Amino acid sequence: MRRVSIFGATGSIGQNTIDLIARDPDAYDVVALSGGRNIVQLARDAQDLRAEVAVTAYPEMLPDLREALAGSGIEAAAGQGALLEAAQRPADWVMSAIVGSAGLAPGLKALEQGATLALANKESLVAAGPLLMDTARKHQARVLPVDSEHSAIFQGLVGEEIDAVERIIITASGGAFRDWPLEKLATATLAEASSHPNWDMGQRITIDSASMFNKALEVIEVKEYFGVRPDQIEVLVHPESMVHALVGFNDGALMAHLGAPDMRHAIGYALHWPERKPLPVERLDLAKIGQLNFRAPDPARYPALRLAYEVMEAGGLSGAAFNAAKERALDYFIAGRIGFLDMARIVEDVLDAMSKEAGLIGAAVTLDNVARIDQMAREQADRLIGARV
Ligand code: NDP
Ligand code: MG
């Protein structure tokens, strides 16, 4: 039996992971499940999967969780300390699917105990790529990509040498507003930004897809995970979301990965790796699909992409600042305090302000420094937004 834990179990990725695990209950021994405010789901899944412990990130939710688990024999715990404690419990495979930089610390703890970390939480790599990858190396643990593009690249590299890679192309659907006139974007509402043409995901990543901040994070994720140079990474708008990524080799060959837009592909690949096992996902009928389209992203429409390359150029802790500023700007957009296009402006202003402070961005990528920069970037965003509205 493989011991597995799922952080962010109540979310979109978490639920897809549980779907796969629940189909083969005898194969897995579930150690920890974590969630946030969705106590009903967390308690139900913990009981169905007979988890050892269920953790909510929020201490004020503990009484509800205790009540929901009463008599089940499953431990209930809450708060940051409990999350870290749960991540330290021995497990073979740990899904990192908390949303935002809150996923970093539990992921590091899982790596420190030698678990294989299935990484959906791209924010970890953006904010602290070198720290995460070094921690894995130091503890002979492994990070497996779960983001669909990165899983596709990973699969395209099986049996290949990274030195033979010339370029990596990740695709983007273009999100909810890909066909909107540019002038209209400023008025995009929360409801409009929260629906994705192809993928069914959590609200935050769905909005990030419309703004291309998601793709910006993913470009940085490619650099951190695969160790290629920024100029080797390209983004291609591909409205059908069937080709997830392409790896270009030094002989001119392009290896493309295709699959239905269903996250159980990438989750399942990471779950069964190094084996490949049958998955309950739709098979593509290419004859019926007929044609696939590709175009270059319009830089005027997607300033987030330009920012990603600037962040990679700056290096150090700029990824942590970028991600935190983006998270904060997104909070404000969701709260209805700023417009859709303001998000990129705020993030750019935060990066500008922070890069002017000597020694800030260039400091070592440690957990403490990442947390400090994360906090500073959020505060800077608060100040800028406070001054604007
Ligand atoms: P969701 O919003 O659906 O789920 C997020 C999960 O994290 C929930 O379990 C939520 O709990 C929990 N959570 C929220 N805030 C905190 C916090 N501060 N501390 C601890 N736990 C918290 O997100 P997704 O599943 O869409 O995304 C999860 C991660 O996977 C993100 O990093 C995203 O970028 C990445 N990803 C997602 C994809 C997708 O298809 N959804 C595709 C590729 C990557 P609760 O809901 O109970 O409050
Ligand atoms: Mg992705």
Side-chain angles (χ1 to χ4, degrees), residues 122 147-149 214-215 218:
K122 62 192 86 187
D147 215 344
S148 56
E149 298 76 4
N214 179 49
K215 212 48 56 179
E218 289 182 358

Short mmCIF file of all heavy atoms in Angstrom, two decimals, residues 122 147-149 214-215 218, ligand 2:
data_model
loop_
_atom_site.label_atom_id
_atom_site.label_comp_id
_atom_site.label_asym_id
_atom_site.label_seq_id
_atom_site.Cartn_x
_atom_site.Cartn_y
_atom_site.Cartn_z
N LYS A 122 2.06 25.70 -8.29
CA LYS A 122 3.13 26.34 -9.06
C LYS A 122 3.73 27.53 -8.34
O LYS A 122 4.88 27.88 -8.54
CB LYS A 122 2.60 26.75 -10.43
CG LYS A 122 1.49 27.77 -10.40
CD LYS A 122 0.82 27.93 -11.77
CE LYS A 122 -0.27 26.91 -11.97
NZ LYS A 122 -0.85 26.86 -13.30
N ASP A 147 1.16 20.50 -13.04
CA ASP A 147 0.63 21.47 -13.99
C ASP A 147 0.65 20.78 -15.36
O ASP A 147 1.64 20.13 -15.72
CB ASP A 147 1.54 22.71 -14.00
CG ASP A 147 0.76 23.99 -14.20
OD1 ASP A 147 -0.40 23.90 -14.63
OD2 ASP A 147 1.31 25.07 -13.94
N SER A 148 -0.44 20.90 -16.13
CA SER A 148 -0.56 20.07 -17.33
C SER A 148 0.57 20.31 -18.33
O SER A 148 1.10 19.36 -18.92
CB SER A 148 -1.91 20.29 -18.00
OG SER A 148 -2.08 21.66 -18.30
N GLU A 149 0.98 21.57 -18.49
CA GLU A 149 2.04 21.89 -19.45
C GLU A 149 3.36 21.25 -19.01
O GLU A 149 4.12 20.73 -19.83
CB GLU A 149 2.25 23.40 -19.56
CG GLU A 149 1.04 24.18 -20.07
CD GLU A 149 -0.07 24.34 -19.04
OE1 GLU A 149 0.11 23.92 -17.88
OE2 GLU A 149 -1.13 24.88 -19.40
N ASN A 214 -1.51 33.28 -15.08
CA ASN A 214 -1.25 31.85 -14.91
C ASN A 214 -0.12 31.41 -15.83
O ASN A 214 0.81 30.71 -15.41
CB ASN A 214 -2.53 31.04 -15.19
CG ASN A 214 -2.29 29.55 -15.06
OD1 ASN A 214 -1.73 29.11 -14.06
ND2 ASN A 214 -2.67 28.79 -16.06
N LYS A 215 -0.15 31.86 -17.08
CA LYS A 215 0.90 31.45 -18.03
C LYS A 215 2.23 32.08 -17.63
O LYS A 215 3.30 31.49 -17.78
CB LYS A 215 0.50 31.85 -19.45
CG LYS A 215 0.98 30.94 -20.56
CD LYS A 215 0.75 29.46 -20.33
CE LYS A 215 -0.68 29.08 -20.06
NZ LYS A 215 -0.85 27.60 -19.87
N GLU A 218 3.66 30.02 -15.11
CA GLU A 218 4.10 28.75 -15.70
C GLU A 218 5.41 28.89 -16.48
O GLU A 218 6.21 27.95 -16.52
CB GLU A 218 3.01 28.20 -16.62
CG GLU A 218 1.81 27.71 -15.83
CD GLU A 218 0.70 27.11 -16.67
OE1 GLU A 218 0.82 27.10 -17.92
OE2 GLU A 218 -0.29 26.66 -16.08
MG MG B 2 -1.19 24.82 -16.48
#
